[in-house]
Amino acid sequence: MNFSYQEYCTGIFKIRNRNDFCDAARQAYSYQCENNAHFAEMKRHLAKIQDGQFHYLPLEFFKHHSILSTAQLPEMVFRSSGTGGLRSQHWLTDVSLYRKSSLAGFEYFYGDVSKFALLALLPDYIERGDASLVFMMEHLIKTGGNPLSGFYLRNYQQLTEVILQLEKSGQKYLLLGISSALIEFSHFLNTPLKNAIVMETGGAKGMQREWIRAELHDYLKLHLGLSEVHSEYGMTELLSQAYSSGNGIFRCPPWMKVLVRDTNDPLDIATEGTGALNIIDLANINSCCFIETSDLGRVYPDGSFEVFGRFDHGDVRGCNQMM
């Protein structure tokens, strides 16, 4: 199969239906079987017992290997928080593709980014300096161009003054943060938010106890005067994100798909049901598009999904400790 990188990267953001997705997924699968040594070796072994369908690379491979489907030199590397063990590393050979995927994904669900002021509470991620979430928010903030957008770390007084200004003007804004920072800020802020979308990204570093998502959302709704709390589902190893507009139900952009596998038989994969989650992220063409995660959840008939937590034997990823 002749593979054109430029045509592929342009085409995935034009996917509109299941056939488009399947065609692009087959292209990506063939390309990565030929060009990704670790993926090809895994496929060679698994094909002896399972053939005729896609194979998925366990997420842990990103901790021990450089997962690349190209001979190009990496432009940069994203690293996970490394909580509880080794840090995953995602080598990027085409940073522009991540910029395009993150922006297109956000605007697919929320519309033109320039209509928002983007306020980020990501203190622990900023301090690391190699977090994909920070890079994504920097790109969205720069593209949006609102002068009040930015990273506010733990400067809650300044953030409160900005929010009061936005509330007074009626400007739409997104307050995105890790769970611990949003909880802390909800103690500091003393006014309900009327024009805000509040979005948690997980992350419970430094908290005295774990919070389940529903409990966290109820708490934030009560203390910030919200009807819903939004969520972002992403990880170091992916270049696309899923979003939830409430109730912890996530939806993917058209170039991303979540499937479910039997926890007792990782080769038994279905498009709906309850089990462990597999992900196809077509933006991951330079690393691996077909990922087997350690997240447990449910996939619904319409392709939406929710996340329950992680396998007991999986080490905890910083972004998902709160589940």
Side-chain angles (χ1 to χ4, degrees), residues 145-208:
N146 190 298
L148 294 179
S149 295
F151 294 88
Y152 287 84
L153 298 175
R154 292 186 174 87
N155 192 339
Y156 298 151
Q157 181 59 47
Q158 182 187 10
L159 179 58
T160 297
E161 292 171 1
V162 168
I163 285 177
L164 292 176
Q165 182 178 342
L166 291 167
E167 289 284 344
K168 185 177 181 180
S169 68
Q171 164 75 54
K172 291 198 302 184
Y173 62 99
L174 170 70
L175 173 61
L176 177 144
I178 57 174
S179 305
S180 55
L182 288 175
I183 290 172
E184 285 182 1
F185 181 62
S186 73
H187 297 162
F188 186 91
L189 188 68
N190 209 14
T191 184
L193 306 182
K194 297 178 181 179
N195 300 317
I197 293 175
V198 174
M199 180 182 294
E200 54 86 6
T201 67
K205 185 177 180 180
M207 295 174 66
Q208 294 181 347

Side-chain angles (χ1 to χ4, degrees), residues 121-254:
L121 277 177
L122 303 170
D124 301 319
Y125 292 74
I126 287 283
E127 291 156 9
R128 274 173 34 212
D130 52 11
S132 59
L133 180 59
V134 172
F135 187 93
M136 179 187 83
M137 287 304 296
E138 285 178 340
H139 178 53
L140 295 180
I141 287 170
K142 182 178 180 180
T143 304
N146 190 298
L148 294 179
S149 295
F151 294 88
Y152 287 84
L153 298 175
R154 292 186 174 87
N155 192 339
Y156 298 151
Q157 181 59 47
Q158 182 187 10
L159 179 58
T160 297
E161 292 171 1
V162 168
I163 285 177
L164 292 176
Q165 182 178 342
L166 291 167
E167 289 284 344
K168 185 177 181 180
S169 68
Q171 164 75 54
K172 291 198 302 184
Y173 62 99
L174 170 70
L175 173 61
L176 177 144
I178 57 174
S179 305
S180 55
L182 288 175
I183 290 172
E184 285 182 1
F185 181 62
S186 73
H187 297 162
F188 186 91
L189 188 68
N190 209 14
T191 184
L193 306 182
K194 297 178 181 179
N195 300 317
I197 293 175
V198 174
M199 180 182 294
E200 54 86 6
T201 67
K205 185 177 180 180
M207 295 174 66
Q208 294 181 347
R209 66 180 182 87
E210 293 185 13
W211 294 63
I212 62 173
R213 173 168 278 121
E215 181 185 21
L216 170 68
H217 286 201
D218 286 344
Y219 186 91
L220 293 177
K221 285 190 286 187
L222 176 64
H223 286 77
L224 298 177
L226 305 166
S227 59
E228 293 292 348
V229 173
H230 293 223
S231 304
E232 180 258 358
Y233 178 84
M235 57 184 72
T236 300
E237 302 85 355
L238 300 177
L239 296 188
S240 301
Q241 300 78 35
Y243 290 97
S244 166
S245 58
N247 299 320
I249 305 298
F250 292 93
R251 289 173 172 79
C252 297

Side-chain angles (χ1 to χ4, degrees), residues 54-119:
F54 295 148
H55 299 85
Y56 295 80
L57 190 74
L59 204 66
E60 286 72 20
F61 272 61
F62 283 83
K63 296 180 179 180
H64 304 283
H65 306 282
S66 298
I67 305 301
L68 291 167
S69 296
T70 174
Q72 289 180 270
L73 293 176
E75 295 180 7
M76 66 182 304
V77 59
F78 293 138
R79 293 181 176 87
S80 66
S81 63
T83 307
L86 293 173
R87 300 176 71 185
S88 283
Q89 299 186 109
H90 193 172
W91 298 88
L92 271 69
T93 59
D94 185 355
V95 175
S96 67
L97 184 57
Y98 182 51
R99 291 192 181 101
K100 187 171 184 178
S101 178
S102 58
L103 176 61
F106 179 87
E107 293 192 330
Y108 179 79
F109 292 104
Y110 293 100
D112 188 348
V113 70
S114 67
K115 295 180 179 178
F116 291 89
L118 303 173
L119 316 177

Side-chain angles (χ1 to χ4, degrees), residues 299-317:
V299 180
Y300 294 97
D302 65 355
S304 62
F305 68 99
E306 58 182 316
V307 181
F308 300 148
R310 294 174 61 83
F311 281 122
D312 289 339
H313 65 266
D315 51 0
V316 178
R317 183 187 302 114

